[in-house]
Amino acid sequence: MTYGHRFLTGLFVIALACGTAAADGFIVPVERPEPVPFRGSWAVKYHHVDIKVRDQVASVSIDQAFVNTGSGMIEVEYYFPVPPHAAIDSMTLLVDGKEFTAKLLKAEEARKIYENTVRRLKDPALLEYAGYGLYKTSAFPLQPGKPARVHVTYKDVCGKDRDLVEVWYPLNTEKFSAKPLESVRVEVDIKSEADITAVYSPTHDLDVQRKAPRHVLAAYEAENTLPVTDFQVFYKVGNEDVGATLISHQPEEGEDGYFLLLVSPNPRGEAKAVPKDVAVVLDHSSSMRTDDKIDQAKDAVRYVLENLNADDRFTVVAYSDGVESLFDGLVGASTRNVQEAVDKLDAIDARGGTDIHSALQCAMESLQTDKDADRPAYVLFLTDGVPTIGNVKEADILADTIEANARKARVFTFGVGYEPNVRLLDKLAKDNAGRSDYAKPKEPIKTKIASLYNKIKNPVMTNLSVQIHGVTLRQTYPRELGDLFDGDQILMVGRYSMDFGAKRVVNADGSMPAQLVVKGMYQGEERAFEYGIGLRGPGRDIRFAFVEKLWAARRIGFLLDQIQLNGKSEEVVDEIIRLSMEYGIMTPYTSFLADETTELSRGDELRARGLREADGLSDIAGRDAQMHAVNRKMMSEAERVAPTAPRPTAGGRPGVPGGGMMGWEDAAAYDAAEADGEKAAEAPETSVEGVRQFQTQAAYRRGKLWVAANAADLDPEEDEDEIKDVERYSEEYFEIVRENTAGENQILASQQTDEELLIVLRGQAYRFR
């Protein structure tokens, strides 16, 4: 898949008498006797995009409004940057109903325009687009203060790699807007001649609606926002029973590659859901009376029971200081049995202590009704407290549960309120191939449990495993693929290397052919599905660098789990700090990296601060413990890692781009979110001043100096002899720009007036002044 096969969009280039304005891109003012700032007085009202994909051919329609905030009439030009090798078969620009034609400038001619503009305006922002071609229209007038509506349409061909199709649209250019856009919407309507299985965006949260097996609508919509990340969607086409695809990225020759695996069931639903066994374990101790938790919990259990499939079996275990199974083992999910369980639930009240050990033993014993059952088994375990009755030792509860779990049931734990033993619940879930989740006080319990149950309602394939012939996979997250459910999608990331002595064949596009194998129980028997894939070789293409960053986020989550479960260690803390620094993935435990007083080159200081921050991760109960649990869950289950938008400042000048912080910054922010109803469960991505994120690495502010992650071990004073100073906008500067990758030029393009940048390029450290 080539970079030129991405979707394209128009960029407005507007010259203002008292500044400049732009929409859908960056500003390049026309030549004037007096200097004109690159970012001036301009605002984008809205940006709406409709993309129709019909068997890989895209028809793109852009509706956008932007405002000349100056005081006089202006002449504007329309610029349309064209990525290398792109082939647009038609393009139309309409401004207030009048059509304008455009002239195509090839990449070399366009590069001169970009470089000359950077020199003239003393602003490197256009360097990010060095190497692009350019469409340019004739000038046309704009009225001051009057929003201008622009409609652009064009057709292009989406890139395709085997059965994987990429849809791409450059929203990133809107980051130059002086203030947030009132509305941003991108809708992708996909129809294919084959079934559409996986649909995945590494950049945006999508609302995906499956209209038919071969028709999907995917939409992103936001208000009052500054888009800073290009819109990217991948979808897989194929008619196999289980679809799987692998996206890979190898940064350098001789290094490990990184992969993202997507596994999805066929949307036709022809594969019958596998009958399952479910044990619901309900805490009704006296503390469950608070905030009506017992009523919410019973509503949640009722929802699960009433949504069992006809061939499922179930039981309910209610516990406090005693344990009661509502049935003698598993029973069928008949209307009569479900109603009997509901009636018994209604009679349960909240009283007594909390015997977690006995409750889990009873649940596991209930699942042994049919020891040889080949159907999957699930335990939904709910508690609002710590064990107080019976065997209360964590180690015994964990070990005895594993020993009793002969069915290998997946255990999903739910902690309600701030009192549960987070470490115990997390480890129960991880030791039994499940997942833990938490509800804060007053947060709807039913919503959480219903959301999980809807995902696991219809198993299609269970006990999945993956391998690639001739390739070693390592550091994969999650560590186990688990089960595949109807309407759901499994996402796994990891590292890979070619096995020693394995035969290496290179395709024409530089990728290495390989065979991906996904195994598991399908329709009651062991099945292996095989897929031909291509592992990308090393290169300068950064389109798939998100795979590496996504892997880093999930690995950080895994390492945070290790601290919580096993205690902190220097080795683990060092790795968390290294990953956070390299990729700019800030967490509440590494936010000190953004502190300008932190010496990035002092490894001993970073380790000491990291160890101090890690102290709180081992909390087992309370508000902070649950906050930490939410942080770890967000990291270990991350599906995308995107940079945050630059924040505009007064006068129309964009502020410094911030680095995204994964998780909750502090307990106060965690508590404040409770006022947001059901959304209180969602941890917002906060922003960290002093950090800039890019596709390939991050940069950190130290006074007026920004330090790229690959130069973090350099001390600007002590290592001065290793650093080469280069004046910005000099001929040497542009020679370096021409040698850079697109990712390296992204970093140079972020440098603001009166800032310096320290970065290592091709083995040489440079300080751009």
Side-chain angles (χ1 to χ4, degrees):
M1 191 187 309
T2 64
Y3 187 55
H5 283 155
R6 293 179 173 189
F7 280 99
L8 312 172
T9 188
L11 303 178
F12 287 96
V13 183
I14 303 171
L16 297 181
C18 61
T20 54
D24 193 18
F26 45 76
I27 299 165
V28 181
V30 297
E31 293 283 353
R32 288 182 175 274
E34 70 281 0
V36 179
F38 179 68
R39 308 157 217 248
S41 178
W42 55 277
V44 181
K45 296 285 289 182
Y46 65 81
H47 185 169
H48 297 162
V49 185
D50 290 304
I51 304 173
K52 288 184 171 57
V53 183
R54 298 296 181 262
D55 291 319
Q56 202 182 336
V57 177
S59 298
V60 183
S61 177
I62 305 165
D63 181 15
Q64 191 166 36
F66 59 97
V67 180
N68 165 13
T69 58
S71 58
M73 179 76 72
I74 59 173
E75 293 291 313
V76 302
E77 290 178 321
Y78 177 86
Y79 277 27
F80 189 103
V82 181
H85 313 299
I88 303 170
D89 65 8
S90 66
M91 184 179 74
T92 302
L93 169 67
L94 292 172
V95 179
D96 294 333
K98 184 177 179 180
E99 184 173 335
F100 289 81
T101 58
K103 177 184 178 182
L104 176 63
L105 305 179
K106 298 298 184 182
E108 189 58 35
E109 187 177 1
R111 179 189 289 277
K112 292 178 182 178
I113 292 178
Y114 293 136
E115 290 185 2
N116 289 338
T117 304
V118 169
R119 285 187 177 97
R120 179 164 52 88
L121 300 180
K122 304 300 183 185
D123 191 321
L126 298 189
L127 294 180
E128 186 173 347
Y129 305 96
Y132 278 51
L134 192 68
Y135 270 96
K136 179 180 179 181
T137 69
S138 57
F140 52 91
L142 287 179
Q143 298 286 341
K146 178 183 177 181
R149 182 179 179 185
V150 177
H151 186 206
V152 179
T153 62
Y154 64 86
K155 290 185 178 180
D156 199 5
V157 178
C158 300
K160 187 175 183 180
D161 184 356
R162 298 177 185 269
D163 295 326
L164 187 68
V165 180
E166 180 189 22
V167 179
W168 185 89
Y169 184 86
L171 280 175
N172 177 45
T173 55
E174 294 289 28
K175 67 187 175 186
F176 299 127
S177 180
K179 63 180 182 180
L181 283 65
E182 294 176 6
S183 173
V184 176
R185 186 182 72 243
V186 182
E187 295 184 350
V188 185
D189 184 327
I190 306 168
K191 288 185 178 179
S192 173
E193 291 296 324
D195 295 340
I196 301 171
T197 53
V199 179
Y200 168 71
S201 172
T203 57
H204 293 81
D205 291 314
L206 296 181
D207 177 17
V208 178
Q209 300 179 37
R210 292 188 175 274
K211 298 297 185 179
R214 300 181 179 184
H215 184 195
V216 169
L217 297 180
Y220 164 73
E221 189 166 3
E223 296 180 353
N224 193 35
T225 186
L226 264 180
V228 73
T229 305
D230 291 334
F231 180 85
Q232 192 175 27
V233 175
F234 295 95
Y235 67 92
K236 166 76 181 297
V237 293
N239 295 322
E240 63 266 25
D241 293 329
V242 173
T245 191
L246 187 136
I247 304 172
S248 60
H249 170 70
Q250 186 180 8
E252 299 287 346
E253 181 72 49
E255 294 184 1
D256 277 1
Y258 299 84
F259 73 87
L260 164 64
L261 173 66
L262 302 170
V263 184
S264 304
N266 189 293
R268 289 186 177 276
E270 294 176 351
K272 185 180 179 182
V274 178
K276 63 183 182 295
D277 292 341
V278 178
V280 182
V281 187
L282 172 65
D283 181 351
H284 66 101
S285 58
S286 58
S287 57
M288 289 290 287
R289 286 198 299 266
T290 307
D291 296 325
D292 298 322
K293 286 183 288 187
I294 186 62
D295 293 329
Q296 285 195 56
K298 289 194 289 186
D299 282 345
V301 175
R302 186 179 297 110
Y303 179 89
V304 171
L305 299 181
E306 292 176 348
N307 283 274
L308 291 166
N309 297 325
D311 294 333
D312 291 343
R313 299 182 299 190
F314 76 99
T315 190
V316 178
V317 174
Y319 72 99
S320 55
D321 49 18
V323 178
E324 177 189 5
S325 179
L326 302 192
F327 298 98
D328 184 14
L330 295 168
V331 297
S334 65
T335 301
R336 177 178 178 179
N337 286 337
V338 168
Q339 186 58 52
E340 182 180 347
V342 169
D343 291 342
K344 290 180 178 179
L345 277 174
D346 289 341
I348 292 176
D349 58 4
R351 64 179 62 193
T354 309
D355 190 350
I356 288 179
H357 182 276
S358 297
L360 287 167
Q361 292 296 301
C362 180
M364 295 305 175
E365 182 180 345
S366 297
L367 292 175
Q368 305 312 307
T369 300
D370 184 356
K371 294 183 179 180
D372 299 323
D374 57 5
R375 57 173 64 196
Y378 303 95
V379 175
L380 306 182
F381 181 85
L382 185 149
T383 184
D384 77 332
V386 298
T388 59
I389 300 294
N391 191 336
V392 299
K393 295 182 179 179
E394 282 185 37
D396 289 349
I397 293 172
L398 294 168
D400 292 350
T401 299
I402 293 175
E403 182 178 356
N405 191 7
R407 285 284 304 276
K408 304 298 181 186
R410 304 194 184 282
V411 178
F412 296 88
T413 61
F414 291 88
V416 181
Y418 290 143
E419 298 308 317
N421 183 324
V422 169
R423 182 174 61 206
L424 173 62
L425 297 186
D426 280 358
K427 198 158 180 58
L428 269 172
K430 291 184 183 301
D431 287 351
N432 295 277
R435 192 170 64 192
S436 57
D437 206 348
Y438 298 89
K440 297 187 294 298
K442 301 181 181 179
E443 185 178 356
I445 301 170
K446 178 180 176 180
T447 301
K448 286 253 180 181
I449 295 181
S451 176
L452 169 70
Y453 181 73
N454 288 340
K455 292 179 180 178
I456 68 173
K457 176 178 169 64
N458 297 314
V460 173
M461 189 174 181
T462 59
N463 297 317
L464 274 69
S465 64
V466 60
Q467 67 180 102
I468 302 176
H469 294 318
V471 174
T472 296
L473 305 182
R474 61 173 61 90
Q475 293 180 340
T476 57
Y477 307 105
R479 308 311 293 264
E480 297 181 1
L481 280 178
D483 299 341
L484 179 64
F485 302 96
D486 184 36
D488 201 10
Q489 181 169 273
I490 290 176
L491 186 154
M492 171 185 270
V493 295
R495 301 176 69 165
Y496 69 87
S497 62
M498 300 297 294
D499 291 343
F500 180 77
K503 183 179 179 180
R504 304 196 179 194
V505 178
V506 179
N507 294 324
D509 63 357
S511 66
M512 293 176 290
Q515 200 73 5
L516 169 69
V517 181
V518 177
K519 297 181 179 179
M521 293 296 296
Y522 180 81
Q523 299 293 287
E525 61 182 32
E526 185 77 26
R527 284 282 300 276
F529 296 94
E530 299 191 5
Y531 314 85
I533 60 171
L535 295 171
R536 290 178 179 81
R540 296 160 68 84
D541 190 345
I542 64 168
R543 284 178 305 157
F544 304 105
F546 72 85
V547 175
E548 182 180 355
K549 187 177 288 189
L550 183 59
W551 168 85
R554 288 199 164 198
R555 175 155 175 79
I556 290 172
F558 168 78
L559 294 172
L560 292 174
D561 280 339
Q562 299 312 299
I563 291 177
Q564 198 270 344
L565 297 174
N566 306 314
K568 64 183 179 181
S569 71
E570 288 190 359
E571 182 180 37
V572 172
V573 169
D574 282 348
E575 178 72 350
I576 292 173
I577 292 172
R578 183 189 70 80
L579 292 168
S580 293
M581 183 188 300
E582 181 173 352
Y583 299 100
I585 303 172
M586 294 293 97
T587 75
Y589 324 110
T590 55
S591 59
F592 59 83
L593 294 172
D595 182 350
E596 292 191 41
T597 65
T598 300
E599 296 288 344
L600 297 176
S601 60
R602 309 297 187 201
D604 53 348
E605 176 186 332
L606 298 182
R607 178 185 299 115
R609 294 189 69 170
L611 287 168
R612 289 197 298 272
E613 295 293 340
D615 284 338
L617 290 177
S618 58
D619 292 340
I620 66 171
R623 181 190 63 181
D624 290 343
Q626 193 184 121
M627 181 191 72
H628 297 322
V630 172
N631 278 313
R632 295 192 303 272
K633 182 174 182 289
M634 288 185 65
M635 298 294 292
S636 61
E637 297 179 6
E639 294 190 0
R640 59 191 55 84
V641 183
T644 54
R647 288 175 295 282
T649 57
R653 293 277 304 171
V656 176
M661 172 178 283
M662 299 292 291
W664 295 85
E665 187 171 5
D666 52 40
Y670 186 67
D671 288 339
E674 290 185 15
D676 196 20
E678 293 185 5
K679 292 185 178 179
E682 302 173 5
E685 181 179 293
T686 58
S687 189
V688 180
E689 291 285 357
V691 182
R692 288 175 179 165
Q693 286 184 324
F694 306 97
Q695 283 275 44
T696 53
Q697 60 176 311
Y700 300 86
R701 180 169 56 194
R702 295 298 179 266
K704 71 175 183 179
L705 177 68
W706 282 87
V707 181
N710 64 4
D713 60 346
L714 294 174
D715 185 297
E717 296 180 0
E718 295 180 5
D719 301 314
E720 188 173 5
D721 293 342
E722 301 178 33
I723 301 171
K724 184 175 183 179
D725 287 330
V726 175
E727 182 181 351
R728 284 202 294 168
Y729 318 125
S730 65
E731 186 54 41
E732 182 180 11
Y733 177 79
F734 285 104
E735 287 177 359
I736 294 171
V737 167
R738 293 173 199 132
E739 291 295 319
N740 283 347
T741 65
E744 290 164 343
N745 279 333
Q746 280 183 353
I747 302 175
L748 268 63
S750 72
Q751 189 174 356
Q752 306 283 316
T753 303
D754 300 326
E755 292 179 354
E756 297 181 354
L757 173 65
L758 179 62
I759 186 173
V760 176
L761 301 169
R762 295 170 290 284
Q764 173 64 54
Y766 294 96
R767 178 165 43 203
F768 296 107
R769 296 180 179 272

